[in-house]
Amino acid sequence: MAVRNMKTTFLQVFLLIILSALESYAALDARYYDTTCPQAEQIIAETVLNASMHDPKAAARLLRLFFHDCFIRGCDASVLLDSTLQNKAEKDGPPNMSLAAFYVIDDAKAKLEKACPHTVSCADIIAITARDVVTMNGGPYWSVLKGRKDGRVSRAYETRNLPPPSFNTTQLIQTFAKRGLGVKDMVALSGGHTVGFSHCSSFVPRIHNFSLMHTVDPSMNQEFAQTLKQKCPSPNKNGDAGQFLDSTASKFDNDYYKQILAGKGVLLSDQTLYGDLRRRGFVESFAKDENSFFTEFADSMVKLGNVGVKEEGEVRLNCRVVNN
Ligand code: HEM
């Protein structure tokens, strides 16, 4: 009898989990603003295009912003809240110090508040912006699901839950799995490093005093290591210096995977994609076939955009502060 009760309870809990997963998925809709703000995507696209023309660093920063938002408290724009006297917010956590493209979101939000007041959430603006920068730089287009609500909590210390570049394969797989993202999603999303830049601090441990046996990480192409050493001569202080994450860093393409095959992944977390049998096949296939990378990247970005989505919450009037 007790066993049957346990089974029933287990089944009920299981069904509840499935139902709540389906509900949070169902809450998002590609046509969410069709009647309330049909011009929303157009306004955001124009803002992103304008920013990219004046600020070549903006595109990569905006793509990374989406990842950092969704991985902490779900895609709820918690990364956009400013710190207050009482609270140090996510954007002031160490991994977010170089995000620096918040002004583009502010600009889009200001225009959206004029066109359709109190309608488009900051979390949706981040998601649409991430898609736009990918498409505008030569990558795939996908239909962004919308209807996220904005959160009211943002804590700098929680950014320690973002994966650091020193993570090994198992740690990376676990971090993504916690958010419902599989190995293929992880390899495809890491392809976001086809655009942008890394400061020396994120990879110097690979090129100076790597281990007792090796000064330089043996998985790195040794000529490439010399190039990186010239750019980052010190193991500690290298200021703003660094390296682009692939050899065509302003273009969204599959060059990132080709560089990994050549031992030229900049971050340890990039290069370990190839050192591990669970992921090597995906790296090889994305390096060979750009279309398959594009298809999987778009698919995984939709999944990333579903992480921890809030149905309850608010549409902030200003993305930097919660509503009164
Ligand atoms: C797999 C786990 C990941 C790790 C460990 C990681 C780590 C990093 C690090 C350390 C940097 C350099 C930051 C700096 O030095 O300023 C960086 C840059 C970047 N990351 Fe990731 N990342 C990961 C996944 C992702 C994902 C999933 C995306 C987006 C889909 C992404 C997009 C970017 C972009 C676009 C940049 C360049 C930013 C710029 O140029 O300002 N990353 N990442």
Side-chain angles (χ1 to χ4, degrees):
M1 190 65 169
V3 172
R4 195 190 301 158
N5 278 348
M6 258 173 65
K7 270 189 185 162
T8 317
T9 318
F10 176 76
L11 208 70
Q12 282 168 341
V13 171
F14 181 72
L15 280 174
L16 267 177
I17 291 172
I18 297 280
L19 276 175
S20 64
L22 282 176
E23 259 175 32
S24 65
Y25 204 88
L28 297 185
D29 180 354
R31 312 189 63 171
Y32 191 79
Y33 297 115
D34 273 12
T35 50
T36 52
C37 194
Q39 66 276 51
E41 297 212 18
Q42 177 72 24
I43 290 174
I44 295 170
E46 281 167 12
T47 310
V48 173
L49 187 62
N50 189 37
S52 304
M53 283 185 329
H54 295 101
D55 175 2
K57 295 180 179 170
R61 288 172 169 176
L62 290 166
L63 177 56
R64 189 167 177 235
L65 182 71
F66 179 57
F67 168 51
H68 284 208
D69 183 38
C70 294
F71 258 48
I72 306 297
R73 295 189 168 265
C75 313
D76 69 344
S78 51
V79 70
L80 299 181
L81 288 171
D82 279 346
S83 293
T84 61
L85 281 179
Q86 297 78 30
N87 180 55
K88 192 170 172 191
E90 279 171 40
K91 61 164 57 155
D92 292 319
N96 287 340
M97 299 309 282
S98 52
L99 284 179
F102 301 106
Y103 75 93
V104 184
I105 309 287
D106 291 337
D107 195 10
K109 179 65 175 172
K111 288 178 186 149
L112 287 165
E113 282 303 309
K114 270 196 193 138
C116 7
H118 210 174
T119 303
V120 183
S121 71
C122 300
D124 281 345
I125 300 175
I126 299 179
I128 297 167
T129 302
R131 189 275 318 278
D132 285 348
V133 297
V134 169
T135 313
M136 282 174 197
N137 286 283
Y141 175 89
W142 62 93
S143 194
V144 176
L145 301 180
K146 296 164 289 275
R148 297 169 188 79
K149 290 289 187 287
D150 298 327
R152 293 179 58 87
V153 178
S154 179
R155 309 268 185 248
Y157 66 82
E158 290 183 351
T159 57
R160 65 179 174 216
N161 296 323
L162 287 166
S166 56
F167 258 15
N168 66 30
T169 305
T170 308
Q171 291 168 313
L172 285 169
I173 291 177
Q174 282 169 354
T175 313
F176 278 70
K178 267 190 207 154
R179 278 94 178 168
L181 299 164
V183 174
K184 199 205 284 182
D185 297 312
M186 193 189 77
V187 181
L189 289 170
S190 298
H193 289 172
T194 176
V195 289
F197 176 87
S198 170
H199 292 90
C200 296
S201 54
S202 303
F203 58 83
V204 276
R206 299 188 71 202
I207 53 170
H208 295 287
N209 312 325
F210 179 68
S211 69
L212 281 179
M213 304 277 285
H214 303 279
T215 323
V216 169
D217 180 350
S219 71
M220 185 183 277
N221 174 298
Q222 297 301 299
E223 264 175 45
F224 186 57
Q226 290 314 313
T227 310
L228 294 187
K229 273 188 171 180
Q230 278 164 13
K231 294 190 172 173
C232 314
S234 155
N236 302 313
K237 291 204 163 58
N238 294 285
D240 288 338
Q243 168 69 27
F244 289 111
L245 288 164
D246 79 2
S247 64
T248 54
S250 58
K251 195 163 176 262
F252 197 99
D253 58 14
N254 66 343
D255 183 64
Y256 166 79
Y257 298 100
K258 294 179 185 166
Q259 297 305 315
I260 290 178
L261 293 191
K264 296 181 181 176
V266 176
L267 307 176
L268 186 66
S269 52
D270 296 327
Q271 196 59 47
T272 54
L273 294 180
Y274 194 56
D276 173 63
L277 285 180
R278 285 167 285 187
R279 303 183 294 175
R280 180 176 287 200
F282 295 125
V283 175
E284 284 169 344
S285 112
F286 295 159
K288 219 181 290 162
D289 180 358
E290 190 170 72
N291 283 334
S292 99
F293 164 48
F294 281 6
T295 307
E296 297 299 342
F297 183 81
D299 194 46
S300 297
M301 285 290 275
V302 173
K303 284 194 200 162
L304 177 59
N306 277 301
V307 173
V309 162
K310 293 186 173 49
E311 287 174 70
E312 301 293 320
E314 59 188 28
V315 170
R316 273 179 228 148
L317 296 172
N318 171 348
C319 293
R320 290 173 180 269
V321 285
V322 298
N323 295 344
N324 284 325

